Amino acid sequence: MRRTALALALTMVAGSAFAQFGDLLKKLDPSKIAKTARVAHEATRDFTEGEEADIGRVVAARILATYPLATNEKEQKYVTLVGNTLAAYSARPTLEWHFAVIKTPIVNAFSTPGGFIFVTSGALAEMQNEAELAAVLAHEIGHVTQKHILKEVKRGNVLSAGVDLAQSTASGGQWLNDDMGRKIGEIAYNKLFTTGLSRRDEDESDSIAVELTEAAGYRPGEYIRFLENLEKLEGTSAMKTLTATHPSPASRIATIKPLIKQEQGEILAKRFDTWVK
Amino acid sequence: MKRMTIALLAAAVVVTAAAGSGTESKWTVTKGGKGIASITLLTSTSGSRGEWKASGGAAPVIFLASKGQTWVRQTGGDVEVASYKGGEERTIVPALLGIDPSGRKTMKVASGPTTYTLTRTSLSASNADASNFAVRPKKGASSTISRLSGDLFGQSSSGVSATAGGRGVGNSGMKLKDGGDYEAVAALEKRDATWKAGLDQSLQEFQKDGKVGKERP
């Protein structure tokens, strides 16, 4: 009874408010209200796969403006074959994956939303076998499937670019403009080359690297061997960006070791030498 | 002052109601100018639902988008689109599920060398029940499992072909004046498009040779 009375009272208050300001509401343009609602909705929704692919192109373009593609086609094919072998076990096997080697002596690998994955020629030079390469590529696949960079882009753009996106989409236009490209590029560049992703994101990708390499039949322990090798390079210029953007190799090894469930698996050192060395 | 506050509150109620409401739109799909299917797209705050109806009269296929994942309704439950062995709808409907239908009248979806044109023929408000958008995964078809073993519910070689396949979404060839090297991106995409034709075969041989991947003995 009390609830009914309360509901009636609320209805009367609401009715009175609408009646009293009915004239004002009549003056509101329904199309503008709908557009505002769409803008608000667009600004908070997730990116579509198509938008993610476009953001990936922006970030890939920024990476390739920094380091060019390596010209050794044999190495490029090899990285593509190993990468696609692993991607089939990922959470997003149908993504249009692109794997490539970029030319720089620094030891690192990068990924973008939408599935562009780059490993540096400097990192390849430090690897001993295909299992190590697989682990590095799998780590980057993890960043893509877990949308780590995309989350940073969304976080950084939600108030400005997000609304622009909504307005552009609502008018049926191309959604990315030069200014948005610059903002996205800056966020991604900052994360990839200067500050790095969060420790949580890196740990998650390392965990996925172990899962994918094990699932694909590579020996996951080779990932630790690679990181141990990097420990020896700490302090060198080749390690500068990796050190700045990732937890230390020792810390990563401590995280990864308990995750390894099997010691078996392929190493493929000779095949690696055939394709890379 | 009080009147203004109430007016603003009332306006907020109207805006919130508009934002929360969904849409129902109908789309025709043409390939080379010839109609091949229609899609009914429902959107709501709970997700999106696309019903694909091929012109030949085959049974409709229902796609659901929820929390960043796309599912296909099948007997016994919903499966992730990655493991759905369908035809061209596998690429087309997920692309449509991601858009705001009130902001688009047409869109093009590329799948390999083929381009499909989607044209919106109607758009209306919808208050479709949330149950229309509910995903009910088939037993064992969770994304966590698929992350670990992408072939658990697909054909044995699905990983190979699916990985090599393109989704046909996004703006390939996009170029912005933002300091990025879009020529290099285009070159990389072109390279992979060229390699794509032989990639399945190469992957099979590569995986057999190394005893890794889905083709390992």
Side-chain angles (χ1 to χ4, degrees), chain A residues 262-275:
Chain A
Q262 63 181 47
E263 289 303 321
Q264 298 89 349
E266 300 298 328
I267 298 174
L268 300 172
K270 276 186 186 170
R271 182 156 89 167
F272 181 83
D273 287 348
T274 307
W275 285 84

Side-chain angles (χ1 to χ4, degrees), chain B:
Chain B
M1 181 64 187
K2 200 181 283 179
R3 285 183 180 186
M4 181 61 82
T5 307
I6 296 174
L8 282 172
L9 280 171
V13 167
V14 174
V15 169
T16 307
S21 65
T23 63
E24 177 174 343
S25 56
K26 293 189 186 300
W27 300 73
T28 57
V29 183
T30 56
K31 180 169 74 174
K34 189 184 170 192
I36 59 161
S38 64
I39 303 171
T40 301
L41 175 66
L42 286 174
T43 65
S44 81
T45 50
S46 311
S48 304
R49 173 190 171 110
E51 188 174 316
W52 166 272
K53 227 171 176 180
S55 299
V61 185
I62 294 167
F63 290 74
L64 301 161
S66 175
K67 296 173 185 171
Q69 300 272 347
T70 304
W71 301 79
V72 184
R73 183 137 295 169
Q74 294 200 319
T75 309
D78 303 329
V79 297
E80 279 189 283
V81 72
S83 59
Y84 170 62
K85 293 176 268 181
E88 53 217 332
E89 73 276 12
R90 189 175 184 274
T91 304
I92 298 168
V93 184
L96 186 64
L97 288 174
I99 71 157
D100 170 13
S102 57
R104 290 271 184 93
K105 285 184 177 171
T106 64
M107 67 179 286
K108 291 193 184 298
V109 179
S111 179
T114 310
T115 300
Y116 301 89
T117 303
L118 279 62
T119 307
R120 196 184 74 202
T121 55
S122 72
L123 174 68
S124 57
S126 165
N127 286 314
D129 189 83
S131 62
N132 285 290
F133 307 96
V135 174
R136 299 175 190 87
K138 207 171 190 171
K139 197 178 175 187
S142 74
S143 56
T144 311
I145 289 172
S146 74
R147 193 180 78 188
L148 293 171
S149 48
D151 65 343
L152 273 183
F153 36 91
Q155 73 255 35
S156 61
S157 63
S158 65
V160 175
S161 55
T163 306
R167 293 159 298 121
V169 294
N171 296 312
S172 185
M174 179 184 79
K175 284 178 189 170
L176 301 177
K177 291 174 186 166
D178 62 358
D181 187 348
Y182 287 92
E183 299 291 341
V185 175
L188 178 54
E189 289 184 319
K190 190 179 172 187
R191 180 203 80 177
D192 284 350
T194 309
W195 286 359
K196 193 173 159 184
L199 188 58
D200 279 8
Q201 181 67 33
S202 301
L203 269 173
Q204 283 183 19
E205 290 168 12
F206 183 79
Q207 291 174 0
K208 276 180 189 165
D209 172 66
K211 296 176 187 163
V212 291
K214 292 182 182 290
E215 297 298 322
R216 66 181 184 267

